[in-house]
Amino acid sequence: LTFQAGLKEEGLSASSCNHYIKLLRHALNLAVEWDLLEKNPATRVPLFLEDNKVEHYLEDDELERLLTVLRTDDNRNVCSIALFLLSTGARLNEVLRAKWSDCDIDRRVWRIPASNSKSKRIRSVPLNDSALDVLSLLDTLGEYEYLFINHKTGKTYTTIHKVWGRLRGKAGVPHLRIHDLRHQYASFLVNSGRTLYEVQQ
């Protein structure tokens, strides 16, 4: 407990302090397994429960700069992914695994299969005008199974964080994480008069 408190006093975040304790527990568990100790003294040391997650929302001027970058940058694929995230409120892994067969353009609905959903349930996401605009500009329809394809590899993206880092820096919003686009979408809905229940659904 003294060690743990000392880490906090040094200015480490709750998450970082917990990593130290987890590593210590693991090392002592190995010592028990190798008969060097009878029991692990760190087992009952509680982890910090502080929530250090920060949500970032864009001011109007920041949003305008971001949209300008996403509409004009040369990396059209990743820009399209970001615009689709901002237009649907979906999670990144859901968008990267989205298939054309899951999209009903006429009914303006994107069906996320249970296998791709965090809740492990089928979700239907309405496709607004900006989401449909993104889909209309993609060149993968009829050519590939998935919406977003990395043309350098001919495969789906596994991550876009490196390019996203460049894009958000170019837009002057270096603090903005990919997941913040989901929160921004929720903010759009609330500001347009939707109830919190509707937003949650």
Side-chain angles (χ1 to χ4, degrees):
L1 290 173
T2 304
F3 172 67
Q4 187 183 37
L7 292 172
K8 200 76 165 67
E9 286 172 10
E10 288 178 17
L12 293 180
S13 69
S15 176
S16 296
C17 292
N18 288 342
H19 284 309
Y20 277 93
I21 299 304
K22 289 174 184 175
L23 179 61
L24 189 58
R25 280 182 185 171
H26 179 67
L28 293 172
N29 277 337
L30 288 175
V32 171
E33 190 179 319
W34 298 335
D35 293 325
L36 298 173
L37 284 176
E38 284 188 20
K39 62 180 182 178
N40 185 341
T43 300
R44 296 187 178 223
V45 176
L47 299 177
F48 288 118
L49 298 177
E50 296 178 25
D51 184 2
N52 59 357
K53 292 181 180 177
V54 178
E55 294 178 4
H56 299 287
Y57 295 93
L58 295 169
E59 299 293 336
D60 289 346
D61 61 318
E62 292 176 321
L63 177 60
E64 195 56 45
R65 291 200 308 269
L66 177 64
L67 289 175
T68 297
V69 168
L70 295 181
R71 289 171 179 151
T72 59
D73 190 84
D74 289 339
N75 194 320
R76 298 313 312 143
N77 284 345
V78 174
C79 287
S80 294
I81 290 170
L83 285 167
F84 199 66
L85 289 166
L86 201 53
S87 302
T88 60
R91 296 178 177 88
L92 178 60
N93 72 305
E94 294 170 338
V95 170
L96 297 185
R97 296 163 72 183
K99 298 179 180 179
W100 283 107
S101 59
D102 298 328
C103 296
D104 188 330
I105 305 298
D106 294 333
R107 290 193 173 95
R108 301 171 64 106
V109 172
W110 166 33
R111 181 181 156 275
I112 300 177
S115 58
N116 293 358
S117 172
K118 186 177 179 181
S119 65
K120 298 306 176 189
R121 292 183 304 201
I122 296 172
R123 270 184 35 241
S124 293
V125 177
L127 294 172
N128 57 26
D129 289 345
S130 65
L132 290 173
D133 284 345
V134 172
L135 295 183
S136 71
L137 295 173
L138 296 180
D139 59 2
T140 53
L141 181 60
E143 298 291 325
Y144 296 92
E145 181 180 9
Y146 293 89
L147 270 59
F148 301 101
I149 293 293
N150 183 338
H151 290 300
K152 290 181 180 178
T153 64
K155 299 178 181 178
T156 56
Y157 286 85
T158 55
T159 180
I160 64 168
H161 287 90
K162 184 176 180 181
V163 177
W164 173 249
R166 180 181 65 77
L167 294 172
R168 68 183 181 181
K170 186 176 178 181
V173 286
H175 59 282
L176 194 70
R177 304 165 304 172
I178 284 287
H179 194 70
D180 290 325
L181 300 181
R182 179 171 165 83
H183 299 303
Q184 189 68 40
Y185 174 78
S187 176
F188 291 155
L189 292 182
V190 171
N191 290 336
S192 67
R194 299 296 182 180
T195 66
L196 291 177
Y197 175 77
E198 288 178 296
V199 174
Q200 183 183 18
Q201 295 309 305

